[in-house]
Amino acid sequence: MEATPGAGPVPGSWGATACVLTGASRGFGRSLARLLAPRLGEGSVLLLLARSAAALAELAAELRGGGTGLRVECVAADLGSQEGLRRATAALREVLPAAPPGRLLLINNAGSLGDISKSFLDLTDPDEINSYFTFNVTSALCLTSTALQAFGPRPGSSRTVVNVSSLCAVKPFKSWALYCSGKACRDMMFRVLALEEPGVRVLNYAPGPLDTDMQLLARTKTGDPEMRQFFQSLQEEKQLIDCTVSAQKLVNLLEEDTFVSGAHVDFYNI
């Protein structure tokens, strides 16, 4: 078990694991995949989901080349569409029942900002709003319930579900009505899972202000001038967090496994 961020992983230290990661093709998800892969033991399977088939294939080739014999599967799907979500859930039903029995780890990382140029009063189009929640909430619920059913409760196995959350789940930001409400909804959704399923470990992890394309959008497209300046200052004052640094903190949390199931844990509070 790692004690400090940056320490080298013990190859296969997590044993035989079925790991599912959404939003895996870039940013935080890509960094997380690179940290997780060496820890997955013999017979493990890593199922990567994202919209970009090319980026997924490139990442999968890199991870397969690690010499661990890890089985890496990719599903290129738009989780905001019915067809994409059906493709993703079908993959879970195919892969997970035959996956190694030791451990299931599902990380719900996929997400989007929505149109942050708009204020609350600008959000009048139900199709836009429903599309946002389909991708950011509905897909996470459907994928999680499907994964837990497909893997099933197995004697001696562990099941862990991670929701990549945000400070926005607990604090309102002007111009971010969709994002804040989506993140708050997901946090509560997974708190209910923790309550209903005590045999499943559930974590809402807020990774902090990451240095990603999403943060670039935040500091250039946020409609509220004060909020836009706030995001600009994070970059100017070098307060953005490297994806790998935050991903390592999440990996440490999972290895220590002492968090309260259903808890919201922020990068800065670890």
Side-chain angles (χ1 to χ4, degrees):
M1 184 177 296
E2 283 187 21
T4 59
V10 177
S13 58
W14 286 10
T17 301
C19 181
V20 181
L21 173 62
T22 71
S25 63
R26 60 180 180 169
F28 185 72
R30 194 177 186 91
S31 295
L32 193 53
R34 287 170 167 157
L35 289 175
L36 291 172
R39 291 167 167 81
L40 306 181
E42 186 177 352
S44 293
V45 58
L46 176 58
L47 182 59
L48 305 173
L49 294 94
R51 299 187 204 199
S52 172
L56 275 181
E58 179 185 344
L59 176 61
E62 174 190 330
L63 299 180
R64 292 185 188 114
T68 61
L70 175 65
R71 176 186 169 195
V72 182
E73 299 287 345
C74 299
V75 179
D78 177 1
L79 298 179
S81 71
Q82 289 191 13
E83 178 188 352
L85 187 53
R86 278 197 295 267
R87 190 182 310 129
T89 53
L92 294 177
R93 293 190 183 102
E94 178 183 349
V95 171
L96 293 183
R103 180 176 188 148
L104 171 66
L105 174 61
L106 169 61
I107 301 177
N108 291 284
N109 171 61
S112 64
L113 280 178
D115 190 346
I116 53 175
S117 71
K118 294 181 177 180
S119 70
F120 187 104
L121 298 185
D122 295 325
L123 295 168
T124 58
D125 182 358
D127 289 338
E128 176 186 5
I129 297 165
N130 289 335
S131 176
Y132 182 83
F133 283 99
T134 295
F135 176 49
N136 288 278
V137 178
T138 304
S139 71
L141 173 55
C142 290
L143 286 173
T144 301
S145 57
T146 299
L148 289 172
Q149 285 187 12
F151 188 82
R154 308 182 188 187
S157 68
S158 66
R159 294 174 293 165
T160 301
V161 173
V162 177
N163 167 43
V164 176
S165 184
S166 170
L167 175 63
C168 294
V170 296
K171 180 179 179 179
F173 285 66
K174 291 179 182 178
S175 297
W176 287 36
L178 291 178
Y179 188 79
C180 289
S181 53
K183 287 297 187 183
C185 181
R186 277 172 54 148
D187 264 36
M188 182 55 74
M189 188 168 75
F190 285 104
R191 287 176 63 188
V192 171
L193 172 63
L195 196 63
E196 287 186 356
E197 298 290 338
V200 178
R201 301 280 287 143
V202 181
L203 173 64
N204 292 301
Y205 174 68
L210 301 173
D211 190 6
T212 62
D213 292 342
M214 189 177 285
Q215 216 285 331
L216 174 61
L217 288 174
R219 63 181 183 265
T220 58
K221 302 297 185 183
T222 297
D224 181 77
E226 184 180 353
M227 288 306 306
R228 191 167 61 250
Q229 179 56 48
F230 167 72
F231 291 117
Q232 289 170 359
S233 69
L234 288 178
Q235 192 226 7
E236 291 165 0
E237 297 169 13
K238 302 188 184 304
Q239 294 182 24
L240 297 179
I241 300 166
D242 182 87
C243 287
T244 300
V245 172
S246 185
Q248 182 66 62
K249 278 203 175 185
L250 173 55
V251 169
N252 291 347
L253 276 172
L254 295 173
E255 290 185 328
E256 292 162 5
D257 199 26
T258 57
F259 56 86
V260 175
S261 190
H264 176 102
V265 180
D266 192 277
F267 172 89
Y268 289 110
N269 294 333
I270 303 170

